[in-house]
Amino acid sequence: MISVIICGAGKGARAGFSENKLFYPLDGKTVIERTVEAFSLPFIDEIIVTSSQADEERMRALLPQANVVLGGESRTQSVRNALREVKGDIVLIHDGARPFVSEKVISDCIESVKKYDSGICALPATDTTVLAANGCIRAVPDRSEVYTVQTPQGFRTAAIRRAYELAGDEVFTDDSSVYSRYIAPAALFVGDKQNRKLTFHEDFMQETYRSGIGIDTHAFGKEQDFIVMGGIKIPSFSGLIAHSDGDVLLHAVMDALLSAAGLPDIGHYFPDSDPAYRGADSAKLLEEVVARIRAEDCTIVNLSIAVQAQAPKLAPYIGRMMEKIGGICALPPSRVGITAGTNEGLGYIGEKKGITVTAIALLKQTR
Ligand code: MG
């Protein structure tokens, strides 16, 4: 029978949240739920979670599949308390703040215990590590002998219980040190990088990619010998009818950006019923939209824009448009793709009655 102890009794204060970091949401579930879920496997018979008194009720409500037990003053005491409850003959001990542990790491841990009586998840050091004293290097261990130790750490239950009894009031940072001190050198197995521990605020940041589409159409008919497109003045047989400067391309870009960020469209922010936007410079409005999506913790990855216009000829101006838009969006021009095509004489576009622009934006949201 295999038991798991998940350590959740700490305060997680280094993450700087107002509550235990294990209650922080990760894709709709708390960290501790994700961690317990990772161990909810057919070959795991029992899951014990240690909790502080303050968090106990919430832990019980969140984790109906686990046995929630009260921890102690230190991690060492909490594990000792939990070990009393363990029914399995093999026990895996794991940090509550490592929700990304894989099934392979868990089963490798169990295999190691079956073979060597212990299994400590560890990663070979990739950086050079040194021992220091008084701010100076004292020794440089051979990198091939250096590992960083993670969890899960698996043991025969009787042996780790014995180790904790012998440890008395001494405080250890992990279970492999208790075991290695009192029982035997613990056996390592190589884990994976994904199994990282969420400690500091930035460790909880997640990146999400979000795409958005925007489409705009404006009709010719304004007595004017130019249009404004992509922030550039382009000679034309007629101007585009609009309340603003009629920059149909920037309007499509703005809607794509707002849509990707899940915000309302430009009509909401810049209503054409508002005289403030009469003849408005769309490039200025785009600056405002970029600020709004930044406030949503989004940065722009790229823009892709397709113009459908029978006239005027746009090709000579595309480079300048890419630069202008890139300047506003803090993108190199190469990340602002613009293609232009005619409509082969068909429909309102082909009849030079109007121009339609479709834009796609890709955003990276980090929060
Ligand atoms: Mg428009």
Side-chain angles (χ1 to χ4, degrees):
M1 183 174 168
I2 293 169
S3 301
V4 176
I5 294 172
I6 294 173
C7 299
K11 291 192 187 74
R14 281 181 291 176
F17 299 126
S18 57
E19 57 181 5
N20 188 339
K21 66 181 178 183
L22 299 182
F23 295 136
Y24 194 81
L26 281 184
D27 266 333
K29 282 189 183 171
T30 59
V31 172
I32 189 68
E33 282 174 282
R34 294 268 171 223
T35 306
V36 169
E37 218 167 63
F39 283 92
S40 301
L41 297 165
F43 50 89
I44 302 288
D45 303 290
E46 176 186 46
I47 300 177
I48 298 167
V49 178
T50 66
S51 168
S52 67
Q53 199 146 25
D55 294 336
E56 194 187 2
E57 212 172 300
R58 192 156 171 205
M59 289 277 194
R60 281 191 209 286
L62 282 175
L63 310 168
Q65 72 275 52
N67 174 12
V68 176
V69 305
L70 266 187
E73 283 298 301
S74 62
R75 188 185 186 284
T76 311
Q77 275 185 32
S78 297
V79 172
R80 187 183 288 126
N81 288 356
L83 279 170
R84 286 191 199 112
E85 302 269 329
V86 168
K87 294 187 193 77
D89 50 340
I90 286 177
V91 60
L92 272 48
I93 304 173
H94 187 69
D95 297 324
R98 290 188 196 270
F100 308 118
V101 59
S102 67
E103 181 171 341
K104 178 169 191 311
V105 165
I106 296 168
S107 55
D108 285 355
C109 183
I110 295 168
E111 284 318 300
S112 175
V113 178
K114 286 181 177 166
K115 265 196 210 151
Y116 310 111
D117 294 331
S118 58
I120 310 303
C121 184
L123 288 180
T126 48
D127 294 328
T128 296
T129 54
V130 301
L131 298 176
N134 303 320
C136 295
I137 293 177
R138 183 161 64 76
V140 185
D142 182 348
R143 196 171 70 184
S144 66
E145 292 182 15
V146 178
Y147 287 79
T148 53
V149 171
Q150 307 181 329
T151 69
Q153 302 186 354
F155 310 92
R156 303 269 178 205
T157 306
I160 189 72
R161 265 194 194 131
R162 176 87 187 118
Y164 267 91
E165 270 165 35
L166 293 170
D169 287 337
E170 221 179 318
V171 170
F172 292 84
T173 54
D174 78 333
D175 312 290
S176 68
S177 354
V178 185
Y179 185 88
S180 300
R181 170 82 67 86
Y182 294 104
I183 307 295
L188 300 178
F189 71 94
V190 174
D192 63 43
K193 270 197 218 148
Q194 208 192 302
N195 182 23
R196 64 186 200 278
K197 188 175 182 182
L198 304 173
T199 305
F200 300 104
H201 199 287
E202 57 268 30
D203 299 337
F204 289 79
M205 298 287 212
Q206 287 174 290
E207 283 180 358
T208 327
Y209 286 86
R210 312 177 56 145
S211 62
I213 189 164
I215 300 178
D216 195 31
T217 298
H218 279 258
F220 285 111
K222 190 174 178 185
E223 272 188 51
Q224 186 176 279
D225 62 356
F226 66 90
I227 59 171
V228 180
M229 192 175 259
I232 304 295
K233 230 168 146 176
I234 298 169
S236 171
F237 68 97
S238 165
L240 292 170
I241 300 167
H243 182 72
S244 66
D245 62 1
D247 195 327
V248 58
L249 188 150
L250 291 192
H251 295 178
V253 167
M254 286 188 267
D255 269 346
L257 291 169
L258 291 165
S259 172
L263 295 171
D265 63 19
I266 51 171
H268 171 87
Y269 292 108
F270 316 116
D272 55 15
S273 55
D274 186 340
Y277 300 112
R278 175 169 293 276
D281 177 357
S282 297
K284 288 267 178 288
L285 304 184
L286 176 58
E287 283 174 18
E288 214 178 306
V289 166
V290 169
R292 282 188 190 277
I293 63 155
R294 285 210 182 113
E296 298 295 315
D297 307 311
C298 291
T299 54
I300 306 169
V301 178
N302 77 306
L303 296 167
S304 176
I305 302 155
V307 184
Q308 290 170 279
Q310 197 70 36
K313 265 220 137 346
L314 299 173
Y317 303 95
I318 284 181
R320 281 170 62 198
M321 288 193 251
M322 290 162 73
E323 274 178 31
K324 173 85 179 180
I325 297 167
I328 299 169
C329 297
L331 287 175
S334 63
R335 302 260 197 112
V336 183
I338 302 177
T339 58
T342 67
N343 223 35
E344 301 293 346
L346 296 169
Y348 67 90
I349 293 165
E351 291 161 16
K352 299 184 194 173
K353 288 183 179 161
I355 293 180
T356 291
V357 178
T358 306
I360 287 177
L362 184 65
L363 304 182
K364 184 168 85 174
Q365 188 174 44
T366 309
R367 53 163 52 153

